[in-house]
């Protein structure tokens, strides 16, 4: 329908970490007389892989549901 939208975001980066990646698919619904308001819900997963010189290596994983509200003017 005209009020619904989907979005998928993904990224990969390198730099101060060995690598970092993230994905976040969402579903959104717009409402209001001109569609100026919206709510969105989705899931996000991010993994950060740290590797330093020496024996230390660690991976941090963050994941969970996301909920958002937006307004346009």
């Amino acid at each position: 329908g005209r009020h619904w939208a989907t979005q998928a975001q993904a990224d990969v980066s390198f730099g101060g970490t060995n690598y970092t990646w993230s994905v976040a698919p969402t579903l959104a619904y717009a409402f209001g007389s001109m569609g100026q308001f919206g709510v969105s819900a989705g899931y996000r997963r991010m993994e950060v892989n740290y590797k330093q010189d020496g024996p230390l290596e660690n991976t941090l994983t963050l994941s969970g549901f996301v909920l958002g509200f937006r307004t346009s003017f």
Side-chain angles (χ1 to χ4, degrees), residues 25-72:
T26 58
L27 177 65
Y29 181 78
F31 60 95
S33 61
M34 296 184 302
Q36 71 270 28
F37 303 107
V39 292
S40 61
Y43 186 81
R44 183 169 185 194
R45 181 173 176 97
M46 181 170 76
E47 185 174 298
V48 181
N49 185 294
Y50 296 100
K51 187 173 184 180
Q52 298 177 343
D53 295 335
L56 180 62
E57 185 172 333
N58 195 9
T59 301
L60 173 67
T61 303
L62 304 168
S63 62
F65 293 99
V66 295
L67 182 63
F69 176 78
R70 70 156 178 85
T71 183
S72 302

Side-chain angles (χ1 to χ4, degrees), residues 7-34:
Q7 179 178 343
Q9 178 180 337
D11 61 76
V12 177
S13 64
F14 301 91
T17 63
N18 194 21
Y19 65 86
T20 300
W21 66 268
S22 170
V23 294
T26 58
L27 177 65
Y29 181 78
F31 60 95
S33 61
M34 296 184 302

